[in-house]
Amino acid sequence: MLHALITGANRGLGLEHTRQLLQRGWKVTAACRDPQSASELAGLDTGEGELVVVAYDATDLAAPARLADTLTDPIDLLFANAGLMTRETRTFGSAANEAFIDEMRVNALAPLALVEALADKVAASEMKVIALQTSRMGSIADNDSGGAYGYRASKAALNAVGKSLSIDLADRGIVTVLLHPGWVKTDMGGPNGLLTIPEAVSGQLDLIARAFKNPAMNGRFFHVSGEDLAW
Ligand SMILES: NC(=O)c1ccc[n+]([C@@H]2O[C@H](COP(=O)([O-])OP(=O)(O)OC[C@H]3O[C@@H](n4cnc5c(N)ncnc54)[C@H](OP(=O)(O)O)[C@@H]3O)[C@@H](O)[C@H]2O)c1
C-alpha cells in the first residue's frame, strides 16, 4: 500500500488530498495541529485506504523528529502542505512585524525541518516524491502587484529550500517538486478563487503521479496546469 504523509490535513487542500488519496487506496498519515478537533478529517470515508491522524505543529522544530520516531512505514509521498498567510504583513508601512517571522517559520523553515527528519523514509519508499505546497506569490518574476511581504518572502524562501533539496536528495532517487495549486476557494484563497478544492487537488495528484521515477521533473516549480512557473 502506498503511503503519504500530508501536513495541514484538517481543512482546505490538505483535507482534500487526504480524501482523494484514501479513495485511491493509499495509507495517509494526516498531520494537523489539533487532531481532537479535526472532525472532518476523522469522518473521511477510508474506503480501501487507511487513515492515521497525528499531531503536528509546524512552529515546533522538534515535531518532525517525533514523527520520524513514531512512523514505521516508508513514505512514498511527503507533502508539506500546511501554510500561513497573515494580514499583518500585507501592506507597505505596517508589514515589518513578528508575523513575518511566523510566516517564514511555517512556510519555509518547517518544510525543511520535515524533509530533514523524514528523507530517509522517503528514500526507502517505492515512489520517493517530495511535494512542497508553494505559491505563485513566491515567484519574484511574477510579482507585478506588490504587497503581501511576509507571504511572498516565505514562499520565495520555500522555493529556494526546495531547489536545494532537489539537488541534495537527487542521488537518493528522490524527486522534489514545488507545486502551486492555482487560486483555490479555501479559507486562505477566499470565495473568489478560480478553482474548487477538488479540481486543484486532482490536478496536483496527476502531477505527483507524473513525478514518480521522473527525474526530469525534479526541482521544478509547477502550476497545477502542469506549466512551469518562473522563479
Ligand atoms: N488557496 C489558495 O489559493 C492557495 C494558493 C497558493 C498556495 N496555497 C498554499 O496551499 C497550502 C494549503 O492552503 P489552503 O488554501 O488549503 O489554506 P487553509 O484552508 O487556510 O489551510 C491551511 C492549513 O495549514 C495549516 N497550518 C497553518 N499553520 C500551521 C501550523 N503552525 N502547524 C500546522 N499546520 C498549520 C492549517 O491548520 P489549522 O486549521 O490548525 O490552522 C490548515 O490545515 C498552503 O501552503 C498555502 O500557502 C494556497
Side-chain angles (χ1 to χ4, degrees), residues 7-15 31-34 37 56-60 79-85 102 105-107 110 132-137 151 155 158 179-190 193-195 197 204:
T7 65
N10 58 308
R11 62 187 168 102
L13 293 165
L15 177 66
C32 60
R33 274 199 271 211
D34 184 10
S37 65
Y56 166 80
D57 186 332
T59 63
D60 177 3
F79 202 150
N81 164 76
L84 177 67
M85 177 192 258
D102 297 339
R105 197 177 275 276
V106 173
N107 294 344
L132 304 175
Q133 191 74 283
T134 183
S135 171
R136 190 173 201 160
M137 289 180 71
Y151 187 72
K155 291 297 191 180
L158 175 61
L179 301 180
H180 167 62
W183 183 17
V184 193
K185 296 180 211 288
T186 62
D187 293 340
M188 185 185 292
L194 299 176
L195 295 176
I197 297 175
Q204 291 202 305

Side-chain angles (χ1 to χ4, degrees), residues 81-187:
N81 164 76
L84 177 67
M85 177 192 258
T86 75
R87 286 179 183 281
E88 292 95 316
T89 63
R90 192 176 287 173
T91 308
F92 177 76
S94 61
N97 60 71
E98 290 297 317
F100 192 104
I101 309 288
D102 297 339
E103 284 170 313
M104 292 300 272
R105 197 177 275 276
V106 173
N107 294 344
L109 180 57
L112 174 60
L114 194 74
V115 175
E116 283 192 333
L118 296 171
D120 287 350
K121 293 191 193 300
V122 177
S125 75
E126 189 189 340
M127 269 188 70
K128 303 183 185 34
V129 175
I130 293 173
L132 304 175
Q133 191 74 283
T134 183
S135 171
R136 190 173 201 160
M137 289 180 71
S139 167
I140 293 170
D142 191 63
N143 183 355
D144 54 12
S145 56
Y149 290 87
Y151 187 72
R152 285 191 190 280
S154 63
K155 291 297 191 180
L158 175 61
N159 287 350
V161 162
K163 188 71 196 186
S164 281
L165 290 173
S166 74
I167 294 164
D168 291 341
L169 301 178
D171 63 359
R172 301 170 75 181
I174 295 175
V175 174
T176 302
V177 286
L178 290 131
L179 301 180
H180 167 62
W183 183 17
V184 193
K185 296 180 211 288
T186 62
D187 293 340

Side-chain angles (χ1 to χ4, degrees), residues 204-227:
Q204 291 202 305
L205 288 178
D206 288 349
L207 269 173
I208 286 166
R210 277 177 44 208
F212 175 38
K213 294 205 170 131
N214 188 356
M217 288 176 72
N218 190 33
R220 283 163 60 186
F221 178 16
F222 290 105
H223 190 278
V224 66
S225 65
E227 166 203 350

